[in-house]
Amino acid sequence: MQFENSLEFAEKMDQQDPLAAIRNDFAIPKMDNGDDEVYLCGNSLGLQPKLAAEYVQRELAQWASLGVKGHFSGDFPWMPYHEFLSEGFADLVGAKTEEVVAMNTLTANLHFMMVSFYRPTETRHKILIEEHAFPSDHYAVESQIKFHGFDPKESMLLIKPRAGEDLIRNEDLIELIEKEGESIALIMLPGVQYYTGQVFDMQAITQLGHAKGCKVGFDLAHAAGNIVMNLHDWQVDFACWCTYKYLNSGPGSVAGCFVHENHHKDEDLPRFAGWWGHDKSTRFKMENTFKPIHSAEAWQLSNPPVLSLAAIRGSLDTIKKAGGINALREKSLKLTGFMRHLLTTQIPERITILTPSEEKYSGSQLSLTVRLNEKDDPERGKRVFTALEDAGVTGDWRYPNVIRVAPVPQYNSFKDVYRFVEILKNAIDNH
Ligand SMILES: *Cc1c(COP(=O)(O)O)cnc(C)c1O
């Protein structure tokens, strides 16, 4: 793709963009002067699809007019409501519909998955995660290890970038699994790293992990709705993701979970059970013998919050209208490619991009550090970030010194990207 440094070029890209009109299906936050913000924070909280609001309103109306009968009435009865999301989730992560379910929240799902897939023994008790995993993942893993009576100092195996580097090297990861594989019970890594935006080679990791006898699960918080995956074919054991980042389903919205069909018929697998995981045909007989559904639904505990599921359904329908994850990814490569081009040609001496440049190893997000010279103080990056916010750019700041920006193919335009880089240049010049 040949990019040019001009507003005209950005506008031309928008005119030729088959997904440009999807932006109108979202509520875009405004600046004080009434202009649209340059919203580049979909990696943290995605914008509201108009369909999400419509579908939530619809369930509120159902509740108002039908009361308890809403469980069984209308086009989208509450009783099987989570099933209406299965197809959309399955398309996003490359799974069969039986392998995915909407339930709980991300960290809760990580715990429930570890109950089933982290079964430490004296000789195989380690969990491999990144040294700088998202804190919630770190806490979840550490507490699971302690729960089983093991010592995190011995059982948490941490992979980290080499000294002076930001990214975890594939070869280092492979070497570690080769070396320690026999003692690893579970490999739990992100699909996309939240701080650097690095994409992990999930297929290769799963293959190698399985060859060593490990279970392999992924946290897809930053991958779902961002990159193309094939969890089923890759034989991934489990995966969990939240729906409020690239899946635009609202703050704290219900999460997604994948369990490979290889595990669905294993009724001896330990799990923390609840009535929503019980065989649907006898669930309401209120008997005491738990009979797990032979699908990912077996891991459900409770009847789910339908208002949140309705918002997810609105988001998934919007994604479907856009042509699904392949169409989004195609635009994303151009959109983020354009941003990378502008940054590297216009201010290469001022900005470092941590995110890998290879398509295979990057998604929508770019993680930027503002480079300092001898005279700059270390707070400069933060000051530049604040100046961006004042000028109508919403991105996010992650300690110690990264500005994360994610042009999202569903609602960001090439013009947004152009505006962002102009504003950033200004902010750097003036701070
Ligand atoms: C966003 C995110 C979380 C958040 O967890 P919740 O349980 O949804 O609050 C956890 N882990 C990672 C890697 C994330 O990116």
Side-chain angles (χ1 to χ4, degrees):
M1 180 88 220
Q2 285 292 84
F3 297 111
E4 294 164 31
N5 290 341
S6 72
L7 180 59
E8 294 69 43
F9 177 78
E11 286 171 345
K12 193 178 86 190
M13 289 297 285
D14 283 328
Q15 278 155 19
Q16 293 170 354
D17 171 15
L19 300 192
I22 300 290
R23 178 179 172 92
N24 301 327
D25 295 332
F26 286 85
I28 311 284
K30 303 271 186 223
M31 293 159 58
D32 289 343
N33 68 6
D35 288 352
D36 288 349
E37 269 183 23
V38 180
Y39 193 87
L40 299 174
C41 209
N43 57 313
S44 180
L45 184 75
L47 292 180
Q48 184 185 110
K50 292 177 181 166
L51 274 184
E54 185 186 319
Y55 290 178
V56 170
Q57 285 300 333
R58 178 176 173 155
E59 295 319 316
L60 285 170
Q62 282 279 92
W63 178 25
S65 62
L66 295 173
V68 71
K69 296 193 192 82
H71 281 105
F72 305 101
S73 321
D75 294 341
F76 296 96
W78 304 329
M79 193 46 194
Y81 202 99
H82 67 276
E83 296 172 28
F84 307 133
L85 312 185
S86 303
E87 196 186 313
F89 272 176
D91 288 348
L92 279 174
V93 300
K96 296 187 174 183
T97 50
E98 315 86 85
E99 291 175 314
V100 291
V101 64
M103 61 182 193
N104 312 315
T105 50
L106 170 54
T107 309
N109 286 340
L110 290 175
H111 275 296
F112 289 120
M113 289 296 106
M114 282 191 274
V115 165
S116 294
F117 298 107
Y118 175 53
R119 308 297 307 156
T121 64
E122 274 313 311
T123 51
R124 189 189 280 279
H125 53 84
K126 293 182 185 166
I127 301 182
L128 169 60
I129 69 163
E130 312 151 84
E131 183 178 61
H132 291 294
F134 194 92
S136 199
D137 301 49
H138 186 103
Y139 306 149
V141 162
E142 189 174 46
S143 60
Q144 284 279 337
I145 288 171
K146 286 186 189 161
F147 174 77
H148 285 280
F150 288 85
D151 178 357
K153 281 209 253 348
E154 275 148 34
S155 299
M156 254 174 125
L157 184 60
L158 304 173
I159 175 87
K160 60 181 172 192
R162 293 184 189 182
E165 297 186 5
D166 297 301
L167 305 171
I168 290 172
R169 293 200 194 192
N170 257 339
E171 65 257 39
D172 291 354
L173 190 53
I174 288 167
E175 196 187 305
L176 188 63
I177 299 173
E178 291 280 4
K179 184 161 143 260
E180 296 270 358
E182 316 279 299
S183 68
I184 299 173
L186 173 66
I187 297 172
M188 209 176 81
L189 291 168
V192 177
Q193 216 282 342
Y194 81 98
Y195 188 76
T196 62
Q198 176 180 13
V199 174
F200 283 80
D201 189 341
M202 290 178 258
Q203 183 174 19
I205 293 166
T206 307
Q207 212 169 20
L208 182 59
H210 283 172
K212 291 282 172 187
C214 322
K215 291 282 186 289
V216 183
F218 291 98
D219 182 328
L220 304 181
H222 287 264
N226 181 9
I227 58 170
V228 178
M229 294 174 279
N230 279 302
L231 300 185
H232 175 82
D233 291 346
W234 297 343
Q235 298 283 317
V236 169
D237 292 298
F238 70 86
C240 308
W241 58 94
C242 49
T243 58
Y244 46 81
K245 292 173 180 166
Y246 295 100
L247 295 183
N248 309 322
S249 302
S253 188
V254 171
C257 190
F258 164 93
V259 182
H260 200 282
E261 72 175 354
N262 295 340
H263 305 295
H264 293 180
K265 296 222 166 79
D266 182 358
E267 297 197 1
D268 296 328
L269 207 58
R271 89 178 97 217
F272 288 169
W275 74 319
W276 230 248
H278 182 90
D279 175 27
K280 291 175 205 173
S281 64
T282 58
R283 184 185 288 152
F284 285 88
K285 291 200 171 144
M286 306 312 231
E287 290 164 350
N288 278 346
T289 311
F290 180 72
K291 208 170 147 232
I293 306 169
H294 284 171
S295 75
E297 293 167 288
W299 278 265
Q300 297 174 107
L301 303 187
S302 303
N303 79 97
V306 166
L307 296 180
S308 173
L309 297 187
I312 301 175
R313 197 168 73 77
S315 167
L316 293 175
D317 278 2
T318 307
I319 290 172
K320 194 167 175 184
K321 183 177 166 194
I325 186 65
N326 287 299
L328 291 174
R329 173 68 170 161
E330 197 179 315
K331 175 173 171 184
S332 171
L333 288 170
K334 291 183 194 153
L335 204 56
T336 301
F338 183 45
M339 184 184 280
R340 184 182 281 279
H341 171 82
L342 293 179
L343 292 170
T344 50
T345 55
Q346 310 242 323
I347 37 175
E349 71 290 350
R350 279 321 225 165
I351 286 285
T352 304
I353 304 177
L354 303 188
T355 313
S357 55
E358 273 173 274
E359 286 186 359
K360 185 175 177 207
Y361 295 113
S362 57
S364 293
Q365 174 188 324
L366 293 183
S367 301
L368 315 175
T369 51
V370 178
R371 238 183 270 160
L372 306 175
N373 61 30
E374 315 82 71
K375 287 189 292 229
D376 293 335
D377 65 278
E379 291 294 308
R380 183 155 186 263
K382 188 72 205 288
R383 284 207 310 278
V384 167
F385 177 72
T386 306
L388 288 175
E389 284 192 311
D390 293 345
V393 172
T394 302
D396 73 5
W397 172 261
R398 277 287 172 271
Y399 277 98
N401 62 350
V402 160
I403 296 172
R404 299 188 304 178
V405 278
V408 168
Q410 296 189 50
Y411 47 78
N412 283 123
S413 61
F414 289 86
K415 197 172 160 193
D416 280 340
V417 169
Y418 185 82
R419 275 176 73 197
F420 162 68
V421 177
E422 289 297 297
I423 293 170
L424 178 64
K425 281 194 312 199
N426 230 319
I428 288 179
D429 286 346
N430 296 320
H431 288 85

